[in-house]
Amino acid sequence: MFDLLSYLAAEVYGYIKSYVRNLEFVIDILAWPLWVLGIVLGLAIYNPLFISDPGSLAWIAWGVLILAIVSDKLWIVGHCIERELRLGILENIASSPEPVWLHYASIAVYSIISTFPAMVLTVAIIFPSLGINALPANLGLFTLGYVLAELASSGFALIYSSIAVVVKRPWIATNAMQFVIPILSGMVPYHVAPDQLKTVMQLNPLSYPFEIMKRGAIGQASMPIGLDESIALSILSIAIFYAAGIKILNRTIDRLKRKGSIQAQ
Amino acid sequence: MFRGLRPYLAIVESQFRVIAREVPELISIVLIVYMFIGVLYLGGRLIGSGNELFSAATGYDDPFRYQLVGVSIIAVSMVVLSSMSQFANTEMLSGRIDSLSLTPVSVNIAIAVSSIPFLLAMLLVFGLSISPVIAYALSSYGFVSVVLSIAALVVGMVPVFIFGVLISMVVLVYKAPQIVNLVQALFFILSGALYPIYVLPHILRLAAGGLPITHVIEVSRSLLLAGALEDGFRGFYTLATLSLVYVALGYILVRRFGSLLRYRGV
């Protein structure tokens, strides 16, 4: 157990050391709020009254954050195997004594660390510029929801990473998913969604952590579900996502080894 | 005279070969444009309250067409910017840029020329993605509106090329290919691709007014969605003037960066 934790800590530390000092990291953090602003206004223009109504605009803005978080996870975690295969380092990773799933779990943890400053910057600068209260209505609940949402979406992306490595042009699928998944996960508030979308949102495990996050941020519920149930469903879905993700990941790496396609492409 | 053009033609030819391998990617850009607009349309419809308010805020009554014009134009400019900076970065990483700087070929022109095939491919992508709007404009306002809007796009691409050369030089001098992501994000929010720029915070509104791509989108919308030839011509002149200013500024900056590049090496 201690070995696993020290591997995980070393991996996350390595990622932070290599990427956080990188200009790419700074640029991503700076670009994130700009994309969020653009999409919030792009949605709000459908009902321009919202632009001068911070209460309504808050629903849209926190909803667009779902898109930003999911998109980040899909690109960082979802493309992790494909990226390392492309860079020619997957074989080395698979040959190391460290369990391979731990390496990818550490990418999921790193992705949470990397999204956090961008989200803080967005909420601290962009939200007030739109007249939205940057301080969540219930900071504790918001933090809980945010952590659960990050874990759930990175777990989901971990499952996707095994698909992305076998698809020929994964960026096309990722582009499609980064728009579709948020819509099904509460980017559009549940209470204004049509019945079919409401059903999908109820069935989609990603909806619940994002619901907790928005509930903490805005102070109002959107889905007709109790907080305890939402938390329980979120934790259950995270456990399932990670268990399934790790299982599929190990199989994918084994398959790549068997086929001899684990070397640099 | 033509012998001097041969190296540039070779770059164009090699870039065409690169594009020929990426036809599915180009087609998928059209799909992504539609998917993005589709998500906004679906989300917007659910939170919106009919077209009246949208029409009152933007002056246009169809939000789908309105955003389709903007996103199609911004997609073209984004691909031009990224293809130019990617060319500079690839040449730098492979060490070819040093050899290129020792030949009589101008690195700046080589970078600009490298994006011509991408621009042509993107015009095709633009044509495909915006085809419903073009069909609507042809049937409602005639051929002149469409031709003038394409002319506005071509004139508006000149400053985008200049931006591309400048970004490529920043990539080469500071070894920072990611800078293009930030510029693309700025183009996206300042261009008014999805909304009229008056909804932006005041300081961003000022920056948006000085960006040629904003005017390309405005002119294209007034020509393709309203058939307003007079507004179109007026916007076209503003755009042409702005483009000339950018060419002059770009020339000065490119010379400055060029000497810095030679001094620091790549």
Side-chain angles (χ1 to χ4, degrees):
Chain A
M1 180 68 191
F2 180 75
D3 273 357
L4 290 184
L5 282 177
S6 57
Y7 269 135
L8 187 69
E11 284 275 5
V12 174
Y13 180 73
Y15 268 103
I16 293 171
K17 284 291 274 184
S18 1
Y19 290 111
V20 172
R21 65 177 179 187
N22 203 325
L23 188 64
E24 186 179 358
F25 180 76
V26 179
I27 288 174
D28 278 348
I29 289 177
L30 294 176
W32 221 79
L34 299 176
W35 290 108
V36 170
L37 173 65
I39 298 171
V40 169
L41 291 175
L43 274 170
I45 197 67
Y46 279 81
N47 192 342
L49 296 176
F50 281 8
I51 294 171
S52 51
D53 172 17
S56 305
L57 199 59
W59 280 107
I60 302 174
W62 287 105
V64 172
L65 274 188
I66 296 177
L67 187 145
I69 291 170
V70 170
S71 166
D72 236 21
K73 300 302 131 206
L74 287 173
W75 287 108
I76 298 174
V77 185
H79 280 249
C80 58
I81 313 178
E82 179 267 328
R83 191 169 43 240
E84 290 181 342
L85 183 65
R86 193 163 22 91
L87 292 171
I89 54 175
L90 186 61
E91 193 175 17
N92 299 355
I93 290 161
S95 315
S96 80
E98 174 194 359
V100 75
W101 64 266
L102 201 60
H103 171 70
Y104 291 106
S106 72
I107 296 178
V109 175
Y110 162 73
S111 77
I112 296 170
I113 295 168
S114 84
T115 305
F116 182 70
M119 200 226 29
V120 170
L121 197 68
T122 305
V123 174
I125 294 176
I126 300 298
F127 282 22
S129 76
L130 294 168
I132 302 167
N133 189 4
L135 204 64
N138 181 339
L139 189 59
L141 186 62
F142 168 74
T143 310
L144 174 70
Y146 173 70
V147 171
L148 291 172
E150 284 275 5
L151 286 169
S153 40
S154 59
F156 175 80
L158 198 60
I159 297 175
Y160 173 65
S161 66
S162 293
I163 300 166
V165 78
V166 293
V167 174
K168 200 170 179 191
R169 289 181 180 83
W171 67 272
I172 299 173
T174 311
N175 263 302
M177 283 177 65
Q178 71 176 352
F179 297 129
V180 175
I181 301 290
I183 283 278
L184 307 179
S185 309
M187 182 179 151
V188 174
Y190 180 90
H191 56 266
V192 299
D195 289 342
Q196 297 92 328
L197 187 56
K198 277 181 180 166
T199 311
V200 176
M201 283 163 76
Q202 280 172 345
L203 294 172
N204 178 6
L206 282 176
S207 306
Y208 299 103
F210 283 121
E211 166 67 17
I212 301 168
M213 186 182 101
K214 283 197 292 181
R215 211 177 274 195
I218 299 169
Q220 290 170 40
S222 179
M223 290 177 84
I225 183 168
L227 190 59
D228 294 347
E229 282 169 279
S230 294
I231 294 171
L233 281 170
S234 301
I235 293 170
L236 184 68
S237 58
I238 291 166
I240 293 171
F241 280 147
Y242 271 87
I246 289 167
K247 184 98 179 154
I248 300 169
L249 183 89
N250 284 334
R251 281 192 174 195
T252 307
I253 301 284
D254 284 347
R255 214 175 113 245
L256 289 172
K257 277 184 190 168
R258 271 203 314 278
K259 284 176 71 182
S261 50
I262 200 164
Q263 295 94 339
Q265 299 291 292
Chain B
M1 184 198 163
F2 292 109
R3 190 172 288 180
L5 289 177
R6 277 187 193 160
Y8 302 114
L9 290 176
I11 292 172
V12 170
E13 190 189 333
S14 72
Q15 292 298 88
F16 264 122
R17 286 176 194 273
V18 171
I19 290 171
R21 288 200 302 262
E22 294 177 354
V23 171
E25 273 84 351
L26 291 172
I27 293 167
S28 67
I29 292 172
V30 180
L31 297 176
I32 289 164
V33 165
Y34 275 97
M35 194 159 281
F36 180 56
I37 300 289
V39 165
L40 285 176
Y41 187 74
L42 176 68
R45 279 273 155 220
L46 296 174
I47 59 163
S49 56
N51 284 356
E52 295 78 23
L53 288 173
F54 180 86
S55 176
T58 61
Y60 298 94
D61 55 7
D62 187 331
F64 188 83
R65 285 191 197 127
Y66 179 89
Q67 294 190 329
L68 185 60
V69 172
V71 173
S72 300
I73 291 171
I74 209 75
V76 174
S77 69
M78 279 183 183
V79 173
V80 169
L81 288 180
S82 63
S83 69
M84 288 172 84
S85 63
Q86 205 179 337
F87 174 78
N89 193 41
T90 315
E91 296 295 294
M92 178 179 69
L93 291 176
S94 63
R96 283 196 297 268
I97 206 94
D98 259 343
S99 331
L100 203 62
S101 63
L102 296 173
T103 64
V105 173
S106 157
V107 174
N108 304 331
I109 299 177
I111 290 169
V113 158
S114 74
S115 71
I116 290 174
F118 277 99
L119 181 64
L120 294 175
M122 280 316 294
L123 283 177
L124 190 69
V125 169
F126 173 73
L128 284 174
S129 62
I130 210 171
S131 52
V133 176
I134 293 204
Y136 168 79
L138 280 173
S139 64
S140 309
Y141 312 117
F143 196 61
V144 182
S145 289
V146 175
V147 170
L148 200 58
S149 73
I150 291 170
L153 180 69
V154 172
V155 172
M157 278 299 124
V158 174
V160 174
F161 267 79
I162 293 165
F163 268 110
V165 172
L166 288 172
I167 292 165
S168 305
M169 297 186 103
V170 170
V171 167
L172 293 175
V173 173
Y174 299 105
K175 320 263 182 299
Q178 306 84 3
I179 196 82
V180 73
N181 299 343
L182 191 59
V183 178
Q184 285 178 333
L186 281 169
F187 267 40
F188 174 68
I189 60 156
L190 296 178
S191 63
L194 300 175
Y195 42 78
I197 57 169
Y198 73 81
V199 301
L200 284 169
H202 182 67
I203 193 154
L204 294 180
R205 222 178 301 157
L206 293 176
L211 208 60
I213 200 81
T214 314
H215 298 277
V216 177
I217 292 173
E218 254 180 38
V219 170
S220 298
R221 276 190 190 129
S222 61
L223 288 166
L224 296 173
L225 302 179
L229 283 178
E230 212 169 287
D231 288 351
F233 274 116
R234 210 177 308 124
F236 189 82
Y237 290 132
T238 312
L239 178 64
T241 313
L242 207 56
S243 294
L244 280 176
V245 172
Y246 270 80
V247 168
L249 277 174
Y251 180 73
I252 297 166
L253 286 170
V254 165
R255 279 182 71 92
R256 285 245 167 154
F257 264 112
S259 52
L260 188 64
L261 201 62
R262 277 191 295 278
Y263 173 70
R264 289 179 58 154
V266 184

